Amino acid sequence: MIKNASLAAATAIFAVFAAPTLAQDASTVVARVGDVEITLGNAIVMRGQLPQQFSQIPDETLFPALIQQLIEQELLAQSYADQLSRGETLMLENESRNFIANAALMRTASAAITPESVAAAYQAYADAFAQGEAVTEYHAAHILVREDAQRDAVVAALDEGRDFAEVAREFSVDGSAQQGGDLGWFAAGMMISDFQAAVEALEPGQVSDPVQTQFGWHVIKLLELRDASVPPLEEVQEELVAEIQREAARAAIAALREAAVVEDLSEGLDPSLLSQVDLLDE
């Protein structure tokens, strides 16, 4: 008896492992509510719509919960669909229109981004940059302190001939201290006005008198000047891509307007009608 039982168990286990896995796709039905079928695709989409905090929850935990939520939603939808108020019906129409319109714009925007379109946009950007007025960029370092005593100590150290970067590392409370106060390159308008004015008054190699701003006292050294050059593609690509997508969206809407019969019948209506929510009850 024991041998036969063991053989039966082994056969069952083998059958489980040997059973072919049925192919699944988005149309696989995972539940029915009356005549309405809920598919695996519905569950996949719902998972993608969950807030970020759900991303770490394993699928084996989420899957049954999502199926039950879809079932409950369908039960409620079926029970209430013919009871929607006029306002609720109009809201549903607006949400559906908005969703489809956004999907159309997203597809249009995505299709507009190609290596060729980005390269052409960058070339146009570079050409416009070259034709504009030359922009001066400043390479400066500074030492920032809060108190008058610290300001005087910085001035004294520099008067003694100590290296500016060394003094910055010792005294400056700015995040640039460990880089010797180096702020890198910047153009006019990127710094607060008093700081910028002090920088522009210097010649390369000169150090300013202490300049007071809302951040404290600055002692500034102008390191270099240069005419701004065209930024590399990687620095402006995000901006260019956004502009390509905006232009593609504008062009798509213009083409649709051109091809359609559109009548704007709102002229002459009182704008205050927008606030008359009671009209939805009529």
Side-chain angles (χ1 to χ4, degrees), residues 15-117:
V16 169
F17 283 99
T21 301
L22 298 177
Q24 310 293 342
D25 59 26
S27 64
T28 299
V29 177
V30 294
R32 286 189 183 87
V33 180
D35 295 331
V36 175
E37 294 182 338
I38 297 172
T39 67
L40 178 59
N42 294 132
I44 293 170
V45 170
M46 177 174 275
R47 195 200 200 294
Q49 293 173 311
L50 292 175
Q52 181 62 33
Q53 60 263 34
F54 288 89
S55 63
Q56 302 303 316
I57 299 178
D59 288 343
E60 56 266 28
T61 301
L62 272 179
F63 187 66
L66 290 181
I67 301 305
Q68 291 308 308
Q69 184 170 347
L70 286 164
I71 290 172
E72 291 170 4
Q73 286 179 348
E74 184 57 35
L75 285 167
L76 289 166
Q78 291 183 20
S79 71
Y80 193 68
D82 58 356
Q83 301 178 50
L84 290 174
S85 68
R86 188 174 186 182
E88 290 167 337
T89 300
L90 294 170
M91 185 181 299
L92 182 60
E93 290 176 7
N94 283 351
E95 289 182 354
S96 177
R97 182 186 301 112
N98 180 64
F99 179 86
I100 296 171
N102 282 334
L105 284 177
M106 290 293 291
R107 185 164 298 185
T108 297
S110 178
I113 302 305
T114 65
E116 293 76 18
S117 68

Side-chain angles (χ1 to χ4, degrees), residues 27-28 37 42 51 67 72 91 117 122 134 140-141 156 164 173 175 213 227 233 240 246 269 271:
S27 64
T28 299
E37 294 182 338
N42 294 132
I67 301 305
E72 291 170 4
M91 185 181 299
S117 68
Y122 181 65
F164 189 94
V173 297
T213 72
D227 287 339
L233 173 59
L240 295 177
R246 283 193 294 268
L269 291 179

Side-chain angles (χ1 to χ4, degrees), residues 114-166:
T114 65
E116 293 76 18
S117 68
V118 172
Y122 181 65
Q123 185 59 56
Y125 175 87
D127 292 344
F129 191 98
Q131 292 172 8
E133 294 184 8
V135 175
T136 300
E137 290 185 326
Y138 305 86
H139 182 196
H142 80 143
I143 301 168
L144 174 64
V145 294
R146 310 290 189 204
E147 307 295 335
D148 293 356
Q150 294 171 318
R151 172 202 63 195
D152 295 341
V154 167
V155 171
L158 293 173
D159 286 345
E160 291 172 4
R162 291 182 58 188
D163 179 67
F164 189 94
E166 177 187 331

Side-chain angles (χ1 to χ4, degrees), residues 247-259:
E247 183 54 39
R250 286 193 289 265
I253 292 171
L256 290 171
R257 280 184 173 274
E258 183 69 23

